[in-house]
Amino acid sequence: MKTFSEEMFGGLGMEYLYYPQGSLVSLGFETFYVKKRDYNLRLGFQQYENNLTRININAREPNLDLMFKFSYGEYLAGDEGFTFEALRQFKNGVEFGIFVSITDVTAEQFGEGSFDKGIKLKIPFDFFKKSSKSLGRFEWHPLTKDPASLLKKSVDLHERIGSFRIY
């Protein structure tokens, strides 16, 4: 079982990752049952619920510290499609990446809502205490909309396992 830190959804789920030692490629599968939270963000839920299932492929290019992720499946709003991410990790721990998602939502349903794109930035904040591993994360979407919305998980399994790898 897995928890997630999505502000507007609550639920249960699981994630499986096949990532052999020494491999630069991993395969993953995740499935979640979610319900939309009440707007007061307490213990109540609204009528909307969904079962999300996604397949993930991650590849690492160790010479340039590049990571590529391709995922396909269902998003929070019930639309289906794929998301592609590319990110670079620098020697100081900073990560910068881009992402694009394309879904089956038509222009008639949601205007230009069949896609999403943006940038990601992760900065380690261990200036004050050398043993600290805390990170600041920032994700920017030029448009905020329902199509192509991914579940925000509290732990990225691939990232957690990858942090113990030596390439």
Side-chain angles (χ1 to χ4, degrees):
M1 289 299 180
K2 188 168 175 87
T3 62
F4 47 92
S5 63
E6 177 67 50
E7 184 178 19
M8 292 306 299
F9 290 87
L12 294 171
M14 65 154 285
E15 182 175 5
Y16 176 79
L17 183 67
Y18 177 71
Y19 195 9
Q21 185 68 28
S23 176
L24 299 176
V25 176
S26 68
L27 302 171
F29 169 81
E30 60 188 50
T31 184
F32 290 92
Y33 167 75
V34 296
K35 288 185 84 169
K36 188 168 185 171
R37 294 183 190 274
D38 276 339
Y39 291 117
N40 61 14
L41 300 179
R42 295 199 177 125
L43 296 177
F45 290 96
Q46 295 182 21
Q47 293 295 322
Y48 183 79
E49 60 186 57
N50 196 0
N51 290 307
L52 313 171
T53 301
R54 296 193 66 78
I55 296 171
N56 305 307
I57 300 170
N58 295 283
R60 180 174 196 79
E61 201 297 309
N63 295 327
L64 298 174
D65 288 325
L66 294 173
M67 176 65 71
F68 301 98
K69 180 178 181 181
F70 178 83
S71 65
Y72 177 82
E74 191 169 345
Y75 296 92
L76 284 171
D79 50 331
E80 290 184 13
F82 70 88
T83 297
F84 175 76
E85 297 179 35
L87 68 89
R88 168 110 196 267
Q89 184 175 32
F90 297 92
K91 301 267 186 238
N92 62 1
V94 172
E95 290 182 5
F96 178 77
I98 59 170
F99 64 91
V100 63
S101 299
I102 298 179
T103 72
D104 60 358
V105 175
T106 65
E108 291 80 29
Q109 291 173 310
F110 207 81
E112 61 175 48
S114 64
F115 68 94
D116 191 17
K117 61 188 178 301
I119 61 172
K120 291 184 175 187
L121 179 65
K122 184 168 68 169
I123 302 172
F125 288 110
D126 53 359
F127 302 118
F128 305 110
K129 192 175 184 185
K130 289 295 180 189
S131 64
S132 171
K133 296 292 184 188
S134 64
L135 298 171
R137 294 180 185 264
F138 174 74
E139 191 170 308
W140 177 72
H141 299 254
L143 298 172
T144 303
K145 53 192 173 187
D146 287 340
S149 292
L150 289 167
L151 189 65
K152 292 177 179 55
K153 299 177 284 187
S154 56
V155 175
D156 182 330
L157 191 56
H158 185 271
E159 183 180 312
R160 183 62 59 100
I161 291 173
S163 68
F164 295 104
R165 299 290 174 99
I166 299 172
Y167 296 101

